[in-house]
């Protein structure tokens, strides 16, 4: 088990190293931050001064070396735009993103799981078709459009909810819905297919032959087993919700990590983009590592096969 | 105002007495008088109420420190509230005396003396002194700081209210740069900065502007409060909240709901909707940012663009009015000067722009391109691709076939300045500060950062204007340069961009457009709320 964990942890570190390399070089291909801090027509001296201030006048490999050196010391660098440490910025936005992701996740599970179960036990009938339609819309409607429609209906016409910003529970509702709908659809689809797999298994047939009530068969025997992949997916989705709710957070002016990433990209704030992507990547890698370890603990064949 | 109400009261009572009114009428009249006097009393009592902005970009702490002002206009939306400058653009003039009551320059143009106001104070109550002015200039590290510091030999402070800038040589643009083309003239308190340091200052800035810093949440909002001892006047509005709302549709929704009172940058169809919404008003501002079409191939003898008639035809083919109405509700300013904004010193007004596709086609035929030609890509900043689309269409009508090539802003500016777009057409823009000379330096004369070629007759005028200390003579030289740019059709000017904003029903005086070329609300002390 120890060797297995060490090997998996090694893969994780390698993944993060490759991620750091990729994001570092790719973000620099997107353009020069100085071009966004001055107007066209600014003097060459002003542009050179900005390059010097941000260390962009050094060779790329030197910049990368410095970036890794500071990273090993737990420092993600200083934001070009905000002039504050990226880690501080990230931590200031993290609670907002966690809160939004948590509410969106609760919404997606409350809606996605029951509708998935309903669709699976009513295959080919109205609820199944309705569930499929719900999933299709959830997965295909862009979240910025959903967000704008919500604002139009609930803020502008009905005047029930604030259009944007943060501060009260009411501010959370629309962004959580816009963010959670996509994931609700994904959870609904997975619950449905997982339930259908389980409902076709021998032990469910046995339970029915024993004369157990259908509600008990579904709730106790089928649902519990079908839930495992859904919960696994929900865990990973939660990390994704925290880190990549870029569009929803921008539309609703929600001060989270997604918007920080958007601002970083908009202003070519390389340290912010690097920091947000790396921390998001680290979260996903960590969750996957924990899941791998958990699986290996539950099922020894996994660690022996690998 | 309270005094006026007091004077008005007895006079009105006399007239009422003369008219021999009943007691009920007298009481009614007294009640009306009381109601009418309430706003005046409130105003006399000091600032009151709150105004909330929906800002289109995230504010950065660097905007709180004038020393870090880069060459873009956005930080000035905050600087005008928090800080004040020795001389700065104000309504009606680009060089208004602010912290300086007066200034003068000596005869050889090598020395500028500023006399500071005695009633100018920082938010902590300290008086603005000559040492603060000197300190602010010396710590300035933003746009054009190297240029300015290379020109200034010495700063003397003969007493606490007088500052003398001694230049190494005569520099006619000193005041342009000191007052508007940089942040060097904006003054910060030396004592406070010595105490808290640069980082501490950005956390809790203290300035000499009409509004005090209250709080800042990055990416969320900035809160300011009226500084009642501001020298120019006590602000009327007590509290200002600037909320960051990056999405344009969300800003409009917030304005409609009354969550914000002022929304920056609402364009296109959303602006049309804003106009149609009862209670809201559109506030267009003409920016100091001209847009233009540039022909980088004009110096290549084999290119169609080498023929001036083709460039003139392109000029005649652009339907500027139609484009402005379609895209910016007609609020762009068509000056026909390609690179110099009308608000700049030494601006030269060319003849009016003409839209005449028939004449353009005749010119094309005379140039041997009756059947048109393939012009290659039209490069543009993708955020202005809506304009470029119209230009491509206009050109197609006279046979100039161009393909739109929108590029994301940072990449476009890098490509433009690195002179990568040698083939095709470029749609450019600049909101850089300066004057006509600085624009000529960047966009027209030899080795200009954005000049793909040059004309010797224009080039030889450039050093002449730089050496000329007489304003009128220099103005004549710069006018001649701009005239040559126009006559040679080096560019096809489009317009100065209209920046569309919205205000809600609570806003009285919004101050939009009072400072020519400035995009945002200012001066903040002139803002008012409508009486409820």
């Amino acid at each position: 088990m120890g060797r297995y964990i060490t090997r998996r942890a090694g893969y994780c570190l390698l993944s993060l190293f490759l991620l750091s390399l990729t994001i570092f070089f790719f973000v620099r291909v997107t353009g020069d931050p100085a071009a966004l801090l001055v107007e066209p027509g600014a003097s060459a001296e002003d542009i050179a001064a900005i390059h010097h201030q941000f260390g962009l006048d050094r060779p790329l490999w030197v910049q990368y070396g410095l970036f890794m050196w500071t990273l090993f010391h737990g420092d993600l660098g200083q934001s070009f735009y905000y002039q504050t440490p990226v880690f501080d910025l990230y931590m200031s936005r993290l609670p907002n993103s966690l809160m939004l992701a948590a509410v969106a996740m609760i919404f997606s599970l409350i809606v996605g799981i029951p509708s998935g179960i309903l669709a699976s036990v009513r295959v080919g009938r109205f609820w199944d078709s309705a569930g499929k339609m719900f999933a299709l819309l959830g997965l295909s409607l862009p979240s910025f459009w959903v967000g704008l429609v919500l604002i139009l209906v609930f803020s502008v016409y009905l005047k029930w909810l604030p259009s944007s910003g943060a501060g009260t529970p009411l501010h959370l509702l629309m962004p959580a819905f816009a963010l959670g709908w996509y994931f609700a659809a994904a959870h609904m689809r997975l619950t449905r297919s997982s339930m259908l797999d389980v409902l076709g298994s021998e032990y469910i047939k046995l339970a029915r032959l024993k004369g157990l009530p259908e509600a008990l068969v579904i709730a106790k025997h089928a649902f519990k087993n079908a839930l495992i992949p859904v919960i696994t997916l929900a865990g990973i989705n939660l990390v994704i919700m925290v880190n990549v709710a870029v569009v929803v957070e921008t539309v609703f002016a929600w001060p989270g990590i997604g918007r920080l990433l958007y601002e970083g990209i908009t202003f070519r704030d390389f340290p912010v983009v690097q920091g947000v992507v790396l921390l998001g990547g680290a979260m996903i890698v960590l969750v996957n590592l924990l899941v791998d370890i958990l699986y290996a603990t539950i099922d020894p064949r996994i660690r022996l096969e690998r | 105002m309270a005094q006026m109400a007091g004077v008005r009261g007895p006079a009105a009572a006399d007239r009422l007495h003369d008219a021999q009114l009943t007691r009920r009428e007298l009481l009614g009249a007294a009640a009306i008088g009381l109601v009418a006097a309430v706003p005046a009393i409130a105003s006399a009592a000091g600032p009151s109420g709150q105004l909330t902005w929906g800002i289109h970009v995230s504010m950065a702490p660097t905007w709180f420190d004038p020393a870090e002002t880069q060459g873009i206009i956005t930080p000035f939306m905050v600087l005008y509230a928090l800080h004040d400058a020795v001389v700065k653009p104000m309504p009606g003039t680009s060089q208004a005396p602010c912290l300086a009551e007066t200034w003068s320059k000596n005869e050889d143009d090598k020395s500028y003396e500023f006399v500071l106001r005695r009633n100018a104070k920082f938010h902590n109550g300290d008086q603005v002194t000559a040492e603060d002015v000197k300190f602010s200039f010396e710590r300035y590290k933003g746009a054009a700081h190297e240029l300015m510091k290379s020109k200034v030999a010495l700063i003397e402070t003969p007493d606490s209210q007088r500052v003398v800038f001694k230049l190494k040589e005569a520099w006619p643009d000193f005041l342009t740069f000191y007052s508007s083309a940089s942040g060097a003239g904006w003054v910060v308190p030396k004592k406070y900065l010595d105490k808290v340091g640069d980082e501490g200052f950005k956390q809790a800035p203290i300035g000499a502007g009409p509004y005090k810093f209250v709080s800042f949440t990055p990416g969320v909002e900035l809160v300011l409060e009226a500084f009642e001892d501001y020298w120019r006047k006590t602000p009327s509005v007590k509290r200002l909240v600037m909320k960051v709302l990056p999405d344009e549709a969300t800003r409009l929704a917030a304005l409609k709901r009354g969550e914000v009172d002022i929304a920056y940058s609402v364009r296109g169809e959303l602006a049309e909707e804003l106009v149609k919404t009862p209670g809201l008003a559109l506030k267009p501002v003409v920016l100091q940012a001209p847009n233009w079409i540039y022909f980088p191939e004009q110096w290549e003898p084999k290119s169609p663009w080498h023929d001036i008639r083709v460039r003139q035809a392109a000029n005649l083919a652009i339907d500027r009015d139609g484009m402005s109405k379609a895209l910016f509700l007609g609020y762009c300013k068509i000056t026909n000067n390609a690179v110099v904004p009308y608000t700049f010193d030494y601006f030269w007004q060319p003849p009016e722009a003409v839209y005449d596709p028939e004449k353009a086609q005749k010119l094309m035929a005379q140039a041997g391109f009756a059947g048109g030609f393939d012009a290659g890509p039209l490069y543009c900043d993708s955020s202005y691709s809506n304009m470029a689309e119209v230009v491509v269409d206009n050109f197609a009508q006279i046979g100039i076939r161009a393909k739109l090539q929108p590029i994301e802003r940072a990449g476009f500016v890098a490509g433009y300045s690195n002179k990568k777009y040698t083939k095709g057409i470029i749609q450019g823009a600049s909101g850089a500060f300066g004057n006509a000379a600085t624009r000529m330096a960047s966009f027209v004369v030899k080795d200009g950062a954005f000049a793909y070629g040059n004309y010797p007759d224009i080039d030889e005028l450039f050093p002449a204007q730089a050496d000329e200390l007489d304003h009128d003579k220099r103005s004549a030289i710069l006018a001649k340069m701009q005239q040559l740019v126009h006559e040679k059709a080096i560019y096809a000017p489009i317009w100065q961009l209209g920046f569309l904003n919205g205000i809600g029903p609570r806003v009285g005086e919004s101050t939009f457009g009072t400072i020519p070329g400035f995009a945002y609300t200012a001066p903040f002390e002139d803002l008012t709320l409508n009486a409820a």
Side-chain angles (χ1 to χ4, degrees):
Chain A
M1 187 68 175
R3 274 184 64 192
Y4 174 76
I5 295 174
T6 310
R7 202 166 61 236
R8 297 300 302 164
Y11 287 146
C12 290
L13 287 175
L14 182 66
S15 302
L16 288 176
F17 169 70
L18 291 175
L19 181 65
S20 76
L21 205 64
T22 311
I23 191 65
F24 182 87
F25 287 103
F26 271 78
V27 76
R28 276 159 179 76
V29 173
T30 61
D32 181 1
L36 300 172
L37 290 173
V38 294
E39 285 285 343
S43 70
E45 290 80 23
D46 284 347
I47 292 168
I50 292 170
H51 286 158
H52 181 70
Q53 185 190 350
F54 296 153
L56 298 170
D57 52 350
R58 297 175 179 191
L60 263 186
W61 63 270
V62 174
Q63 291 180 43
Y64 183 70
L66 283 171
F67 167 59
M68 290 307 283
W69 177 254
T70 52
L71 193 62
F72 280 129
H73 290 81
D75 181 1
L76 287 166
Q78 180 104 341
S79 160
F80 292 168
Y81 187 72
Y82 285 114
Q83 298 281 302
T84 44
V86 172
F87 188 73
D88 292 354
L89 272 176
Y90 190 89
M91 293 313 287
S92 71
R93 305 285 184 100
L94 186 62
N96 292 322
S97 281
L98 284 174
M99 196 191 306
L100 176 62
V103 177
M105 180 54 72
I106 291 167
F107 164 76
S108 76
L109 292 177
I110 286 175
V111 173
I113 291 176
S115 58
I117 294 170
L118 202 59
S120 68
V121 297
R122 299 277 190 272
V123 181
R125 289 154 70 180
F126 171 76
W127 285 111
D128 190 23
S129 303
K132 279 181 190 166
M133 183 60 74
F134 169 78
L136 186 72
L137 289 175
L139 294 173
S140 57
L141 289 179
S143 51
F144 76 87
W145 185 84
V146 173
L148 290 176
V149 169
L150 289 173
I151 290 172
L152 200 63
V153 174
F154 292 101
S155 290
V156 177
Y157 293 141
L158 298 174
K159 300 188 188 301
W160 289 352
L161 297 171
S163 65
S164 54
T168 68
L170 288 181
H171 283 101
L172 252 175
L173 295 181
M174 288 197 293
F177 179 85
L179 181 62
W181 193 12
Y182 172 88
F183 292 96
H187 293 154
M188 179 265 159
R189 278 166 57 104
L190 187 64
T191 306
R192 180 183 177 275
S193 64
S194 182
M195 278 291 286
L196 285 175
D197 278 350
V198 173
L199 287 171
S201 63
E202 294 299 318
Y203 72 90
I204 294 293
K205 286 177 191 164
L206 181 66
R208 281 175 175 155
L209 284 172
K210 279 166 70 179
L212 290 176
E214 187 62 15
L216 194 67
V217 172
I218 290 165
K220 189 174 176 186
H221 296 283
F223 175 61
K224 272 172 75 175
N225 288 296
L227 199 59
I228 295 168
V230 180
I231 295 298
T232 308
L233 179 72
I236 293 167
N237 280 347
L238 186 67
V239 179
I240 293 171
M241 280 179 176
V242 170
N243 287 285
V244 297
V246 178
V247 174
V248 168
E249 289 187 2
T250 304
V251 167
F252 290 101
W254 183 265
I257 288 164
R259 223 182 90 204
L260 183 63
L261 181 61
Y262 167 81
E263 287 160 5
I265 293 167
T266 306
F267 299 115
R268 298 298 185 282
D269 195 339
F270 298 159
V272 165
V273 178
Q274 289 161 190
V276 171
V277 169
L278 266 182
L279 286 172
M283 273 193 212
I284 289 171
V285 163
L286 192 68
V287 167
N288 277 316
L289 178 66
L290 291 175
V291 168
D292 282 352
I293 293 169
L294 203 62
Y295 281 171
T297 309
I298 296 166
D299 185 353
R301 287 174 302 178
I302 291 173
R303 61 176 184 263
L304 292 174
E305 277 170 13
R306 296 183 194 179
Chain B
M1 288 296 281
Q3 261 186 334
M4 281 174 70
V7 170
R8 198 179 288 154
D14 286 348
R15 284 199 298 275
L16 290 169
H17 180 75
D18 291 347
Q20 294 184 328
L21 295 172
T22 64
R23 195 197 306 181
R24 182 178 290 176
E25 285 168 333
L26 259 173
L27 282 172
I32 291 166
L34 195 63
V35 168
V38 164
I41 292 164
S43 172
S48 62
Q50 174 178 311
L51 275 177
T52 307
W53 277 252
I55 308 271
H56 57 307
V57 289
S58 273
M59 290 168 281
T62 49
W63 296 9
F64 308 153
D65 187 350
E68 302 203 19
T69 310
Q70 298 298 346
I72 50 176
I73 196 104
T74 36
F76 286 87
M77 76 163 76
V78 172
L79 288 180
Y80 263 94
L82 272 177
H83 296 283
D84 205 348
V86 176
V87 179
K88 69 176 191 282
M90 286 291 274
T93 172
S94 61
Q95 291 172 350
C98 288
L99 294 177
E101 207 163 26
T102 58
W103 75 81
S104 56
K105 63 177 175 178
N106 69 352
E107 284 177 2
D108 61 1
D109 279 336
K110 283 188 179 175
S111 173
Y112 286 78
E113 180 173 319
F114 299 92
V115 179
L116 302 180
R117 290 176 196 280
R118 293 204 173 270
N119 61 340
K121 287 180 185 172
F122 290 111
H123 301 153
N124 60 1
D126 291 350
Q127 193 175 9
V128 177
T129 66
E131 272 305 312
D132 295 314
V133 175
K134 182 183 177 192
F135 171 75
S136 301
F137 181 88
E138 286 170 348
R139 74 183 285 271
Y140 178 68
K141 53 190 175 191
H145 75 277
E146 283 188 15
L147 173 72
M148 295 199 72
K149 284 171 187 173
S150 71
K151 300 277 188 186
V152 174
L154 183 70
I155 303 172
E156 290 175 348
T157 53
D159 62 52
S160 69
Q161 300 308 115
R162 282 195 303 148
V163 195
V164 183
F165 285 77
K166 296 205 162 168
L167 309 181
K168 289 176 185 164
E169 57 190 19
W171 183 33
D173 287 337
F174 171 73
L175 212 52
T176 298
F177 276 86
Y178 191 59
S179 66
S180 59
S182 77
W186 293 72
V187 181
V188 294
K190 181 178 185 299
K191 275 185 202 163
Y192 179 69
L193 253 148
D194 285 343
K195 196 172 130 193
V196 299
D198 287 352
E199 287 310 307
F201 185 75
K202 275 182 241 165
Q203 301 293 321
I206 282 181
Y211 279 85
K212 295 185 283 187
F213 178 87
V214 174
S215 67
F216 173 62
T217 315
V220 182
E221 66 179 22
L222 168 69
V223 181
L224 306 169
E225 198 174 272
F227 177 48
E228 297 192 25
D229 288 339
Y230 184 56
W231 66 267
R232 187 165 170 253
K233 64 157 90 162
T234 300
S236 156
V237 184
K238 175 82 173 167
R239 197 175 172 87
L240 310 183
V241 180
M242 296 182 175
K243 287 186 175 178
V244 180
L245 302 177
D247 187 83
E248 203 168 8
T250 312
R251 280 198 300 281
L252 180 58
L255 187 66
K256 281 181 169 184
R257 262 182 61 83
E259 290 171 7
V260 301
D261 301 298
I262 297 168
Y264 286 149
S265 185
V266 181
R267 297 168 296 176
E269 295 85 358
L270 293 175
E272 283 177 23
E273 196 185 326
L274 192 155
V275 171
K276 287 177 198 160
T277 307
L280 304 188
L282 190 76
K283 289 286 172 182
V285 178
V286 175
L287 302 182
Q288 61 173 29
N291 294 84
W292 59 75
I293 296 293
Y294 188 43
F295 312 110
E297 290 180 42
Q298 63 189 284
W299 291 275
E300 284 181 31
K302 287 181 183 171
S303 168
W305 296 111
H306 188 65
D307 191 320
I308 190 172
R309 288 169 297 187
V310 174
R311 302 198 299 273
Q312 286 169 338
N315 260 285
L316 290 167
I318 300 173
D319 180 8
R320 297 167 179 87
D321 270 323
M323 199 183 348
S324 175
K325 280 174 189 152
L327 302 178
F328 294 92
L329 309 187
Y331 287 111
C332 296
K333 187 173 175 71
I334 299 164
T335 67
N336 211 22
N337 189 324
V339 293
V340 183
Y342 79 98
T343 48
F344 273 20
D345 275 351
Y346 310 113
F347 166 79
W348 173 74
Q349 178 59 62
E352 202 171 317
V354 177
Y355 171 56
D356 191 343
E358 283 178 18
K359 191 176 173 188
Q361 276 173 329
K362 280 180 193 163
L363 281 168
M364 288 284 285
Q366 286 169 17
F369 296 102
F373 64 91
D374 290 320
L378 191 154
Y379 299 100
C380 71
D381 173 350
S382 57
S383 47
Y384 295 129
S385 57
N386 55 350
M387 289 159 48
E389 275 175 34
V390 180
V391 171
V392 166
D393 189 47
N394 284 168
F395 282 180
Q397 285 172 17
I398 62 162
I400 299 173
R401 295 177 292 276
K403 279 186 180 173
L404 188 62
Q405 187 86 46
I407 299 162
E408 207 279 334
R409 184 178 168 86
F412 170 74
V413 175
Y416 191 178
S417 61
N418 292 330
K419 297 176 186 171
K420 286 184 178 168
Y421 308 141
T422 51
K423 298 288 176 195
I425 309 164
I426 301 170
Q427 180 184 281
S430 174
F433 296 101
N435 57 24
T438 60
R439 289 291 171 103
M440 291 293 115
S442 293
F443 297 102
V444 176
V445 299
K446 193 180 178 192
D447 298 329
F450 293 82
Y452 281 59
N454 60 297
Y455 290 92
D457 51 344
I458 301 179
D459 288 351
E460 68 186 27
L461 292 171
F462 190 70
Q465 64 80 30
D467 296 336
E468 182 56 67
L469 299 177
D470 183 286
H471 184 275
D472 291 343
K473 287 179 185 169
R474 190 179 185 216
S475 185
I477 299 170
L478 282 162
K480 181 68 184 168
M481 289 179 78
Q482 291 169 78
Q483 189 182 348
L484 287 169
V485 170
H486 172 76
E487 287 169 0
K488 291 174 190 292
I490 299 174
Y491 289 87
I494 302 180
W495 55 39
Q496 276 182 238
L497 195 67
F499 184 67
L500 307 184
N501 310 286
I503 61 166
R506 297 178 63 249
V507 183
E509 171 57 61
S510 71
T511 70
F512 274 119
T514 54
I515 300 174
F518 188 66
Y520 310 111
T521 51
F524 283 84
E525 63 274 20
D526 289 347
L527 286 163
T528 60
L529 281 164
N530 272 331

